[in-house]
Amino acid sequence: MMARLFSGLVSQGAWACLDEFNRIDEEVLSVIAQQLLTIRFALLRSPPTDTFEFNDSTLKLNPMCGVFITMNPGYEGRTELPDNLVVLFRPVAMMIPNYSLIAEIMLYSEGFDDAPVLSAKMVHLYKLASEQLSQQKHYDFGMRAVKSVLVMAGALKKEYSKLTEDVVLIRAMRDSNIPKFLADDLPRFKALIQDMFPRVNIPEVDYGELQAQTEESIAIHRLEPQPTFITKVIQLFDTFNVRFGAMIVGPTGGGKTTCYKILAD
């Protein structure tokens, strides 16, 4: 597959950017390195040539072709690039984005008037959460998490226009994060919210028909309507509102399958 991609690039003089390049297995990276080395030698040939041998075929060589890669070194699940591949690329260091400014612009676009203050508080809260909560593989306080919360906050603002902006943002952060936190981290996260938004009273959410239908479905399946289980079903519903996919984790017999089946009903 990669050989076909490179064949098209060098023939047409096109550019390609291979995102998250170090997610590829090390064995495959070694093959890619050899393919790129062949192209590199053809480009450096003196005198220049219009064709070259690549993958048992004779291809037209356009010197305007280019290959770029992006990668996040040091992340879990990433592969270290082989040395013969590293030397073929010129490294470019990237700056960490200004999360506060990005969040401020997104809040403005969602119709928030107090975007500068709210964005600064939210980014600071996420920074503290990443430092003070336990380190879990499924915890995410990066840009993707920030964006999903801001989109959820915009939807809540449109639906509950009478709520104050700080309450809307708190609800978005709470509803998108609490379902994935361990029990020991819940009090810490709630304390962080209270510290960042003192004297803000957050009203309880009335899920109305959703809760009623959940309790009815539980009764149909001849199960006990435990409040904690109903809460988990509602949390799964909230998670699907901000995520395209979700993973339900927990011990055997913890109610994972029943949870999504009740929600599906």
Side-chain angles (χ1 to χ4, degrees):
M1 179 180 176
M2 296 303 297
R4 293 176 59 188
L5 172 65
F6 294 143
S7 298
L9 294 178
V10 297
S11 299
Q12 301 300 319
W15 290 4
C17 181
L18 308 176
D19 192 28
E20 297 282 4
F21 193 66
N22 58 335
R23 282 179 179 264
I24 303 175
D25 293 335
E26 191 171 356
E27 296 80 6
V28 181
L29 288 175
S30 298
V31 176
I32 293 174
Q34 192 59 45
Q35 293 171 345
L36 290 174
L37 189 61
T38 303
I39 297 172
R40 180 63 176 162
F41 283 157
L43 291 170
L44 294 175
R45 191 176 300 168
S46 182
T49 181
D50 294 334
T51 60
F52 77 113
E53 295 294 323
F54 182 76
N55 203 33
D56 299 329
S57 301
T58 302
L59 299 179
K60 184 178 71 172
L61 178 63
N62 189 324
M64 298 302 294
C65 65
V67 178
F68 306 88
I69 63 174
T70 68
M71 54 184 290
N72 291 311
Y75 274 44
E76 186 173 353
R78 306 303 199 270
T79 307
E80 291 296 326
L81 298 187
D83 292 338
N84 61 338
L85 185 58
V86 172
V87 297
L88 298 177
F89 291 94
R90 180 185 302 170
V92 178
M94 306 298 291
M95 293 177 60
I96 297 176
N98 188 333
Y99 282 18
S100 182
L101 181 59
I102 294 173
E104 178 182 338
I105 294 170
M106 289 192 65
L107 285 173
Y108 271 133
S109 69
E110 296 289 353
F112 284 77
D113 296 324
D114 202 16
V117 175
L118 292 177
S119 62
K121 286 186 176 182
M122 177 186 176
V123 171
H124 189 54
L125 186 146
Y126 267 46
K127 182 176 182 297
L128 291 175
S130 65
E131 295 171 351
Q132 297 185 19
L133 301 189
S134 64
Q135 301 300 310
Q136 304 294 329
K137 292 182 179 179
H138 65 282
Y139 284 8
D140 181 17
F141 301 104
M143 195 64 239
R144 288 189 184 92
V146 171
K147 183 178 183 299
S148 65
V149 170
L150 295 176
V151 171
M152 185 179 185
L156 288 174
K157 182 173 176 60
K158 295 180 180 68
E159 185 176 354
Y160 302 98
S161 56
K162 294 183 179 181
L163 292 178
T164 60
E165 292 183 349
D166 49 2
V167 170
V168 169
L169 184 60
I170 291 172
R171 272 196 56 184
M173 290 189 295
R174 183 187 63 186
D175 293 347
S176 62
N177 285 292
I178 284 182
K180 64 186 177 187
F181 285 151
L182 301 183
D184 292 340
D185 287 328
L186 282 175
R188 300 173 192 169
F189 186 74
K190 291 178 179 179
L192 288 175
I193 290 180
Q194 196 63 43
D195 290 342
M196 297 303 300
F197 298 90
R199 298 183 299 277
V200 175
N201 184 28
I202 309 171
E204 290 296 325
V205 183
D206 181 15
Y207 286 94
E209 186 177 353
L210 174 63
Q211 183 160 346
Q213 289 295 325
T214 300
E215 293 174 354
E216 182 179 338
S217 181
I218 290 174
I220 292 174
H221 285 78
R222 297 182 178 181
L223 301 172
E224 288 292 328
Q226 294 292 333
T228 52
F229 180 72
I230 295 173
T231 299
K232 284 300 175 185
V233 175
I234 293 174
Q235 287 178 349
L236 183 61
F237 172 80
D238 287 333
T239 301
F240 278 128
N241 284 335
V242 294
R243 297 287 187 183
F244 291 110
M247 180 182 294
I248 307 176
V249 296
T252 303
K256 302 184 293 297
T257 304
T258 307
C259 182
Y260 77 75
K261 284 185 176 179
I262 293 294
L263 182 61
D265 289 345

